Structure formats: structure tokens, C-alpha cells
Amino acid sequence: MNAQADFRHDTIDGGEALRFSGRLSLSCLGDFPERLRSFEGKVDLLDLSGIDRIDTVGAWLIHRFAAEHESRIEGLSPEAAHLMAQVAAADRDMAMRPPPSNFLIKLVGEVGQASISAVTTLAGLLGFFGATVLAFLTVLRHPRRFRLNATVRRFEVVGISALGIIGLMSFLIGLVIAQQGSVQLRQFGAEIFTINLIGRITLRELGVLMTAIMVAGRSGSAFAAQIGTMKLTEEIDAMRTIGVSPMEALVLPRVIAAVLMMPLLGFYSSVVAIIGGGLLCWAALDIPPVTFIQRLREVVPTTDVYVGLLKAPVFGLIIAVTGCFQGMQVESDAEQVGQRTTSAVVQAIFLVIVLDAFFAVFFTWIGWI
């Protein structure tokens, strides 16, 4: 039997018919589609009882011809009939562009989706924080499980390696505060109060806040990327398989390093900012360093130092937990590593600013103003 697809025209009782033979598959069609498309005249019946095989391409040709000529199809085997039904079900008009949506409905939907995502992320962060606390308590009960080398290494990455960039940023911020403050206070003949501005705003707010933002962008993103890559390459699953807790081996050293290094970095940042502001006061306002330091001791209360030192470890905890949590959420591909890293930085900075506002109200309420 000839395997090449073919058909012949025949007359039946009450109409015209096309009887097909051969294999209606892609490899055996040849010029069959052109000959079928060029056929003219009314066709009442398409007889497929003589075919040897039919695939999706052949089924589509028959279905399209039957639809154009309003013909009925007969002679199909059960398998061929199922294929033809699937082809017919797939033959529907596709929208070239999505239908216009109501702007208000779309806006409400996006707000709702963002709210659900925020609540889910917050719940996940709280759960991850609880797991971190449990891992810390476990290490306290079994001190030999504490990974000292990993923690010291995080000290270097989070703290020592960041001294240069944080120092430069803080020095420039001190210069800017002093310059802008002196310009505004000069209008009232109160340039001397520039020292008050520099001392209080750097020790109480900007020193630790800008350090937290820098650490979130530098170390928080690194935590998310490192743990996310390990999750992607199944290293974390391998650790669990050999009985090593990822919370104790990966998360806890990073959290401890961030919590302990943030107060030191925040105080360092404040001191460098004060030095920058003092140099500008010396150069632009003719306030010698001795006078600057003496005035600073008079106007800056000790509580401002306490405020900065108390906020810093909380900010470090938020940054480390957020970065490690987002890294643990990586699942499918390398693109998620980038997305989770970005989310870690954004969420850490947002939470730091929110907590800073809370601390500002709290410390004012208890009288540390």
C-alpha cells in the first residue's frame, strides 16, 4: 500500500465525497496540502476509513477542510477520533491583546495582592526569627556546636571590611550637615548652634541609621545571595542530610556578627561624622577643634549615646534575619537569587526606618530627649 497521503473524489447517494488513503502524517504529506486546498466544489463527506495513520498536522488539515466545506467526517478509528476532537477543541479564536480592564478594579486587586504578600512575608519573618532564637538556645545548651570560626569570619565581612566605606560616607554626611546647618543658622547669627546640630543628630539618629542602611545594602544582600545560591545548588539539603543544622551553621553566625558589630559600626560612624563636621566648622566658621569638643560635651547628653547604642543591635538583628530569610526562600532558578537579594535589601531598610521611628517616639516618651 502506498504510504503517501492521497485522496480521490467520489459520488455517493445524495452528495459528493472525498476518500482519503495513505498516511496523513507530516513526513508523508508531500503536495497533499496544496492539492487539498485547491479542490473546489461542494463536499458532503470526508471518508477516512482508508488511511493508515494520522498525526496532528494531518488532523488539522482535515478539520480545516471540513470546516470550510461544511463536511462531515467518517471512518475514523477511536484513536484518530480522539485526536480529531482535540484538534477541533483547540481551534478557537485567540485574543491578540488582553481585553481592557477597569482601572479601579485593577488598582484594588494590586493593593490587595500587595497587602497579602506583606502579611505573608511578615509572618514568615516572625517564624524565621523564632527559629533563629531556638537555634541560639540550642547552641547555648550545647556550646560545642557553636561555630566560632564562621562567626569570626562574619565579624570581618560585616565589620572590618565595611570600615572604609562607612567612614567615608559618615565623614561626608558630617560635612554636609555642618555646611547646610551653618548656612541656615547664619541667618539668625547662631552659627555656634551648628555644633549642637552635628553632635545630636549624628549620635542619636543619622550615625546608626545610615550605618544600618549601608550594612543592609552591603551585608544583608550578601547574606541573601550566599544562602540563596547554596539553596539553589542543594548544599543546604546536603547539610540537612548529614545532620548539620543550616540555622546553626549559616544563619546564627551571621546574626551574631551583625548584632555585635552594629553598635561598634554605629558609634564609629557617629565619631567620624562629628570629625567631618568639626573640620568644616574649623574651616568655614573659625571654630577651633578645642572649642568644638568643649561645646560638644556641653550640649550632647549621654542619653544620645545610649539611644544610638541601643538601636544598633536591633537594626543588626533585623538586617541579618531578613537577609537570611530571603536567601532561604530561593527555590527554582538563578533569577530568584536576584529577586530575593533585592527583597532582602528593600525589606531590611524599610523595617529599619519603621523601627527607628518607633524608637524616636519611645525614647521621647521616656524622657530621653
Side-chain angles (χ1 to χ4, degrees), residues 170 174 198-199 202-203 269-279 292 296 300:
S170 302
I198 296 170
T202 53
L203 285 170
S269 173
S270 300
V271 171
V272 173
I274 290 174
I275 293 174
L279 290 177
F292 181 86
L296 202 64
V300 177

Side-chain angles (χ1 to χ4, degrees), residues 92-146:
R92 57 178 182 271
D93 294 333
M94 302 297 293
M96 297 302 294
R97 63 184 62 183
S101 59
N102 185 281
F103 172 76
L104 182 60
I105 295 177
K106 183 178 180 181
L107 178 62
V108 172
E110 291 181 354
V111 171
Q113 185 176 4
S115 301
I116 294 173
S117 176
V119 172
T120 304
T121 302
L122 181 60
L125 275 172
L126 291 175
F128 191 80
F129 172 71
T132 305
V133 173
L134 291 177
F136 181 72
L137 295 177
T138 302
V139 170
L140 285 182
R141 290 198 305 269
H142 308 282
R144 297 185 63 179
R145 298 173 65 170
F146 178 65

